[in-house]
Amino acid sequence: MLCLAAALALIGCHKAETTPEMSFNQGVRGEVWLKPGYDASDMTFMTNPPDLSPRPLPEALVYLLRPGDTFADGDLLATAHADSLGRYELSAAPGTYRLAVVVETVQTVGRYIPSADSSGRGFWENALEIVKITAGRFTEQSFEIGESVPQ
C-alpha cells in the first residue's frame, strides 16, 4: 500500500511539472502617433506650411478592455503608457478585446464610453480598435491620433 501511495505521489508530482502554466507570450503591441493639426485659416501657413508628419506620442495611455459598447467594473484588464518613442505592449490571454487610447496632454477629438453599471464611471477615449490576440503571438496595432486645433 505504501508503494502504491509513493507511486501515485510521483505521478502526481511529475504531472504537475509537465503541465504548462498560463503563458503570456502573446498580447498586443504597437505605436501611438500624433498627427499635428493646424489652423487652416492662418494665411502664413500658405507660404510656410507646418510640418504635419506624425510623431511619437509618449503621453498616450493604452487600455485593454473586455469587448462591449460600455464600460463597467472589471472590464479594464490592463494598461500601458507609451514610451518615449510612442511604443506600448500589453500581454493578455488569447481572445478578442477592445483597445482604447487616451491622450490627456494634447487637445484631440474623443468619444465618451458610458458606464454600464450604476457607478457612472465611463471614460473618454481618443481611439478604439477591436483586436484579436492569438496564442503565442503579439498582434500589432498602431494608432494615429489627430490633434484638434481651433479654427
Side-chain angles (χ1 to χ4, degrees), residues 30-35 54-57 85-86 142-146:
E31 298 159 342
V32 182
W33 297 90
L34 175 67
K35 183 170 187 198
R55 30 189 86 97
L57 189 56
L85 299 175
S142 293
F143 294 92
E144 189 173 284
I145 309 295

Side-chain angles (χ1 to χ4, degrees), residues 36-55:
Y38 70 98
D39 183 354
S41 66
D42 190 340
M43 293 306 287
T44 59
F45 290 137
M46 299 297 261
T47 56
N48 187 14
D51 178 12
L52 297 178
S53 57
R55 30 189 86 97

Side-chain angles (χ1 to χ4, degrees), residues 42-98:
D42 190 340
M43 293 306 287
T44 59
F45 290 137
M46 299 297 261
T47 56
N48 187 14
D51 178 12
L52 297 178
S53 57
R55 30 189 86 97
L57 189 56
E59 302 92 11
L61 183 60
V62 183
Y63 292 115
L64 186 67
L65 304 161
R66 292 189 203 295
D69 294 330
T70 58
F71 178 73
D73 286 339
D75 282 353
L76 179 61
L77 302 173
T79 61
H81 276 95
D83 66 12
S84 62
L85 299 175
R87 297 178 302 202
Y88 72 91
E89 183 174 300
L90 292 162
S91 296
T96 302
Y97 301 93
R98 289 181 292 168

